[in-house]
Amino acid sequence: MELRRFSRGFALCSALAALLAPIAPARANPYETRLDNGLHVIVKEDHRAPVAMHMVWYRVGAIDEHDGTTGIAHLLEHMMFKGTKTLKPGEFNEIVARAGGNDNAFTSHDYTAYFQRVPAAALPKMIELEADRMRNLVISDDEFARELKVVMEERRLRTDDQPQSQLHEQLMASAFIAHPYRRPVIGWMNDLENMRPDDARDWYRRWYAPNNAYVVVVGDVDHKKVFEQVKKAYGHMKPVQLPVRKMTAEPVQTGERRITVKAPAELPQLAMTWKAPKLVDVVNDREPYALEVLAGILDGHAASRLPKALVRGSQVAVEVGAYYDATARGETTFMLGGTPAKGHSVAELEAALRAEVKRIADEGVSEAELERIKTLTVAAQVYKLDSTYVQAMEIGRMEASGYRWQDADLMLEKLKSVTAAEVQAVARKYFGSDTLTVAVLDPQPLDPNAKPRAKPAGLRH
């Protein structure tokens, strides 16, 4: 599954979600150990229901790809379900289903992860299954060819046939000219068309190893027993010499960039993104926390500034959004975007969005706005305890982004300490034209005879 950075149409991701993702307070009891081969194991006991969430994360994603083989991280994720030396293609999923569980996987720019949610009694088998496919995957030419067709159809279905996905893809390709985030996770179609089985085999050999992975378990388990089970399944594996990661830094942007994307659609759309700093020093950095709060004030809840002023107020837009992620492995941006209402232009929407940021830069924010976002953020930490999946995701994502799960509580405290003056300062500093990239969807006539593309057989996520 290709993880997109937008979660609710082109209104981008709710800024509240952006606040929650990087602050993953594993408060209760995470325990951890590390095997001699480098495999990191993190277990959080949650005995409220007899279930367990089991995840294996690999520190590799589209950010580690090279031109010519874009999409290989995502394609290898698909191949991981196609059999091992002991399992036939599809048998992994059948075993999980017979145990009363469900499973899936996802690939992002920064990581690849696999998970099963099962009755707690079935956890040892899940650990055994994941360990088996970490080193014993079989990539046959025939299975590769079949799955490659599924991925290509997935790209057509989720990107080529979706105007807002095309817009986001082109926005990133324009905002980043050197950094790997310019490439789509699912890959460029030409690269997929020329992909070969050895590309997947090479990716698997280089990156799928215990010293490039970690196991996260949350649920009705005993952490000591989980440690023993993981050691039994993985302990015999040897670490590998991982490739040297050489990431190209993005050159300083010195002027505004604008692109137009033409695609069949009912309404135009606007996407704007500014270069912004990411969180590097959890203790001493201040601006990333202020930018997260700014995103929340703009679009963290129904009464936030953007929906209040532009959707319900001036009605210049039918949807708007703000998004900022401080914890990416690579470089990051601050995004604004939306869809203009009928009778209003993209230019009007752009002016209105920029005016809202300028208003904060000029006038600041109220203490009430500030406290509301902080209160919502803290409250969400309680709600997340209802889901073993969310708890495991938060722990896993923290580790995947280069932080430790132990940093989570400190990140929350730092965010709670953000002042109105700091929010105003970042609004003044990071929203000039020189670091801005703008993408506009120019809607083309819809084909009245076009039929929706069918979901390809074998597409599980």
Side-chain angles (χ1 to χ4, degrees), residues 109-424:
H109 276 103
D110 296 346
Y111 48 78
T112 309
Y114 304 83
F115 68 88
Q116 303 85 42
R117 186 178 187 273
V118 294
L123 178 62
K125 184 62 176 178
M126 301 303 108
I127 293 173
E128 178 186 315
L129 288 172
E130 284 290 6
D132 177 47
R133 66 179 177 179
M134 177 181 281
R135 301 308 293 160
N136 297 319
L137 186 67
V138 173
I139 302 177
S140 72
D141 290 359
D142 289 344
E143 286 294 338
F144 178 86
R146 278 191 286 268
E147 203 60 28
L148 179 58
K149 291 180 180 178
V150 172
V151 172
M152 291 169 68
E153 191 63 14
E154 180 182 348
R155 181 186 162 85
R156 296 185 187 100
L157 177 70
R158 294 179 173 170
T159 301
D160 299 343
D161 290 352
Q162 302 296 325
Q164 63 190 34
S165 297
Q166 292 184 47
L167 188 67
H168 176 241
E169 184 175 85
Q170 292 300 315
L171 176 70
M172 292 296 97
S174 300
F176 294 108
I177 61 174
H179 191 274
Y181 282 172
R182 75 185 191 278
R183 300 186 292 250
V185 173
I186 200 167
W188 299 113
M189 183 62 84
N190 182 69
D191 286 351
L192 295 175
E193 291 170 343
N194 291 284
M195 203 78 75
R196 298 293 180 263
D198 280 345
D199 294 321
R201 294 175 187 131
D202 182 58
W203 189 262
Y204 178 71
R205 284 193 297 265
R206 285 189 289 145
W207 296 111
Y208 278 58
N211 54 315
N212 195 43
Y214 53 99
V215 176
V216 178
V217 175
V218 177
D220 188 19
V221 299
D222 181 322
H223 71 278
K224 294 181 180 179
K225 290 182 179 179
V226 174
F227 290 166
E228 292 172 358
Q229 293 159 0
V230 172
K231 184 175 182 179
K232 179 180 178 182
Y234 291 90
H236 66 281
M237 297 182 187
K238 295 181 179 180
V240 303
Q241 183 66 46
L242 297 171
V244 176
R245 300 180 196 255
K246 295 181 179 180
M247 190 183 305
T248 304
E250 181 68 15
V252 175
Q253 184 174 340
T254 57
E256 185 177 297
R257 300 171 187 164
R258 288 183 176 268
I259 62 167
T260 299
V261 177
K262 293 184 177 182
E266 293 184 0
L267 296 170
Q269 292 181 351
L270 170 70
M272 310 165 67
T273 190
W274 288 264
K275 300 297 194 307
K278 72 172 187 176
L279 183 63
V280 177
D281 186 329
V282 173
V283 175
N284 296 312
D285 283 352
R286 296 297 300 175
E287 290 184 334
Y289 298 115
L291 285 164
E292 286 182 353
V293 172
L294 174 61
I297 288 172
L298 288 170
D299 182 39
H301 51 85
S304 294
R305 290 199 177 200
L306 295 185
K308 181 179 179 180
L310 306 187
V311 177
R312 297 190 302 277
S314 65
Q315 298 184 2
V316 70
V318 293
E319 62 175 359
V320 287
Y323 177 72
Y324 169 74
D325 179 3
T327 58
R329 267 181 61 193
E331 301 183 25
T332 194
T333 63
F334 192 108
M335 299 184 184
L336 297 177
T339 303
K342 188 175 181 180
H344 293 276
S345 67
V346 168
E348 288 179 89
L349 177 56
E350 178 182 342
L353 287 167
R354 298 183 75 167
E356 288 301 317
V357 176
K358 187 175 186 302
R359 185 170 292 112
I360 292 176
D362 292 342
E363 304 171 6
V365 298
S366 69
E367 288 299 326
E369 287 179 296
L370 201 62
E371 289 307 310
R372 184 167 190 177
I373 287 299
K374 294 178 181 180
T375 300
L376 286 170
T377 303
V378 173
Q381 307 316 307
V382 177
Y383 301 148
K384 79 177 180 64
L385 296 176
D386 290 336
S387 171
T388 55
Y389 174 77
V390 172
Q391 293 178 70
M393 275 293 297
E394 290 181 337
I395 294 171
R397 188 177 180 276
M398 284 282 290
E399 294 284 324
S401 299
Y403 309 96
R404 299 298 314 280
W405 58 263
Q406 292 95 331
D407 293 331
D409 286 343
L410 177 58
M411 287 182 175
L412 179 60
E413 291 305 313
K414 290 290 185 178
L415 187 138
K416 287 164 60 179
S417 72
V418 170
T419 67
E422 288 176 317
V423 175
Q424 185 177 18

